[in-house]
Amino acid sequence: MTTEGAVQSLSIGEVAERTGLSVHALRFYEREGLLVGPVQRTSGGRRRYTSLDVDWLLICVRLRESGMPLADLKHFAELVRHGPGNEAERLRLLDAHRQRVDAEIQALEECRSVIAWKVGVYAEHLARDEAGGLWDPTA
């Protein structure tokens, strides 16, 4: 950290630790244009990140973990890099992704409901010591 109030300068290893991304993944994100600003370099060529870079990367991590395609994430980063004036397009992109995530959550909740029902059936039969026919498809 530099002086108080100044932008924090972090190494690639520190950013990897803070974001959960590997050093390799951070380099990939940079190559693919997924960052919203250029990564600064020291006079020796080492990458130096800011706390704003970390904040952005944490958003990227969540978007990827939630299934956002790389192409959509790249497009979102491009929109943010271009600055004000395209907020409606950003909103459309994020809203479409949210709808996909909501649909996936609903599908998983339906799956969990079926699993919970089946667990209950097995638990009940086992508790009554009547589980013999449960595994027999001919019964």
Side-chain angles (χ1 to χ4, degrees):
M1 177 108 138
T2 54
T3 61
E4 189 175 317
V7 176
Q8 190 174 24
S9 178
L10 303 163
S11 72
I12 195 168
E14 291 169 321
V15 173
E17 190 174 306
R18 290 182 185 205
T19 62
L21 293 168
S22 67
V23 168
H24 176 75
L26 288 167
R27 290 182 184 126
F28 172 80
Y29 271 47
E30 183 180 356
R31 263 193 327 273
E32 291 297 312
L34 297 171
L35 300 174
V36 293
V39 175
Q40 300 301 312
R41 303 271 181 157
T42 66
S43 58
R46 294 188 181 272
R47 290 170 174 83
R48 297 307 294 177
Y49 296 84
T50 67
S51 55
L52 293 175
D53 293 325
V54 172
D55 291 344
W56 173 256
L57 285 163
L58 290 171
I59 291 169
C60 291
V61 166
R62 290 294 178 236
L63 291 173
R64 287 293 292 147
E65 285 177 347
S66 63
M68 180 178 272
L70 200 53
D72 286 355
L73 183 56
K74 191 172 187 175
H75 183 59
F76 184 53
E78 289 169 3
L79 291 170
V80 172
R81 257 193 314 277
H82 284 117
N86 60 27
E87 292 82 2
E89 190 172 353
R90 294 183 211 179
L91 175 60
R92 279 191 297 275
L93 189 145
L94 290 171
D95 192 48
H97 181 62
R98 182 189 53 80
Q99 289 177 28
R100 286 189 303 268
V101 169
D102 287 347
E104 189 174 331
I105 288 169
Q106 182 178 348
L108 285 171
E109 286 175 344
E110 291 170 5
C111 292
R112 182 177 56 193
S113 177
V114 168
I115 294 166
W117 166 74
K118 199 62 177 170
V119 164
V121 168
Y122 281 109
E124 182 181 321
H125 280 79
L126 284 170
R128 292 191 318 233
D129 200 24
E130 298 174 357
L134 284 175
W135 294 278
D136 183 358
T138 62

